[in-house]
Amino acid sequence: MASGKLTTHVLDTSLGRPAGGLHVDLVRIEGADRSLIKSVATNDDGRIDSPLLDGDDMVRGTYELVFHVGHYLKIRNVDLTDPPFLDAVPIRFGLSDPDSHYHIPLLVSPYGYSTYRGS
């Protein structure tokens, strides 16, 4: 059994606080095929309450986290362009070691974002 896990959190840098209520999709990519694994929303701390993947679900491959930033900003009544500059923000990554912890944070504002492999 693999001992790794996949986690994420989102910080709203325009407000300087966690992005609670932001919807996130986890997708597995295999060639041209995309399989939705899970759809979740961040809690008040900008985190998901349990790992997106862990144990035997940690399978080597290519994945994508899709952060629904446009919807999050709209429900926060942020003044946005139509369409919004950022809507769905995809972060594609490779999971090569099922025994490792993959933490993928997103720092977001209405007009920019950044990510990195966290710990």
Side-chain angles (χ1 to χ4, degrees):
M1 174 186 247
S3 61
K5 63 183 176 179
L6 171 64
T7 58
T8 189
H9 77 273
V10 184
L11 299 174
D12 183 332
T13 57
S14 67
L15 298 175
R17 64 178 183 228
L22 192 145
H23 292 267
V24 181
D25 295 333
L26 173 62
V27 177
R28 181 169 166 88
I29 311 290
E30 296 179 87
D33 295 331
R34 299 171 55 84
S35 302
L36 178 66
I37 296 173
K38 190 177 284 189
S39 289
V40 294
T42 57
N43 61 25
D44 289 342
D45 195 34
R47 298 177 184 276
I48 307 300
D49 290 328
S50 59
L52 292 161
L53 293 175
D54 63 355
D56 289 338
D57 292 332
M58 289 287 290
V59 176
R60 283 182 180 88
T62 302
Y63 295 84
E64 197 169 80
L65 286 174
V66 181
F67 297 89
H68 295 276
V69 172
H71 179 260
Y72 161 80
L73 294 168
K74 184 176 180 180
I75 63 174
R76 299 281 175 293
N77 294 316
V78 174
D79 187 21
L80 300 172
T81 58
D82 184 19
F85 179 70
L86 293 178
D87 191 11
V89 173
I91 307 297
R92 188 172 291 192
F93 62 97
L95 194 157
S96 61
D97 181 3
D99 292 319
S100 288
H101 180 188
Y102 288 77
H103 183 69
I104 302 172
L106 182 72
L107 308 176
V108 69
S109 74
Y111 295 97
Y113 68 90
S114 66
T115 190
Y116 56 93
R117 182 171 176 187
S119 58

